[in-house]
Amino acid sequence: MLLVAAVLIVAVSLAHSILGEKYILMRLFRQPLPRLFGDDRFTKQTLRFVWHLTSVAWVGFAIQIALLHFGESSRAALLQVIATTFAITAIIAFGASRGKHLSWPVFTAISVICYAAA
């Protein structure tokens, strides 16, 4: 049952990213958006990476559920998945915003703390 749940989460996360990009974000970006740092690029990139980070988080949950399915529910294993999920989140936030969105240092700190705790 848990493996089915994990697979469903991955499927939903893929649909969320692909369909959301095509049917929501692209249409939204045709509208006037707030101009930060000189133009609306930062706003668009922030909306895009936040949208897709939802999918990244869901995949992180799916991996934890799959670990539970396979009997690996140790604190260390679950913390490593959480740490990796936040490391990916930090990289995406940093890259998409070119370091301007200040969430990436916080996500990096969360990742390091979770790795250390694992």
Side-chain angles (χ1 to χ4, degrees), residues 92-105:
I92 291 170
F94 179 82
S97 73
R98 298 183 180 172
K100 292 179 184 175
H101 196 280
L102 298 179
S103 63
W104 71 268

Side-chain angles (χ1 to χ4, degrees), residues 46-59:
T46 300
L47 290 170
R48 178 169 276 129
F49 84 73
V50 169
W51 183 272
H52 294 295
L53 285 183
T54 303
S55 297
V56 171
W58 290 344
V59 170

Side-chain angles (χ1 to χ4, degrees), residues 37-115:
F37 302 110
D39 59 20
D40 66 356
R41 183 183 184 286
F42 179 79
T43 303
K44 288 178 181 178
Q45 286 303 100
T46 300
L47 290 170
R48 178 169 276 129
F49 84 73
V50 169
W51 183 272
H52 294 295
L53 285 183
T54 303
S55 297
V56 171
W58 290 344
V59 170
F61 282 123
I63 293 168
Q64 290 178 68
I65 291 170
L67 287 175
L68 292 169
H69 167 79
F70 290 112
E72 179 55 67
S73 61
S74 71
R75 179 179 189 265
L78 297 176
L79 281 170
Q80 287 172 353
V81 173
I82 293 166
T84 302
T85 301
F86 275 97
I88 293 167
T89 299
I91 291 166
I92 291 170
F94 179 82
S97 73
R98 298 183 180 172
K100 292 179 184 175
H101 196 280
L102 298 179
S103 63
W104 71 268
V106 178
F107 294 141
T108 300
I110 293 166
S111 177
V112 169
I113 290 166
C114 289
Y115 273 125

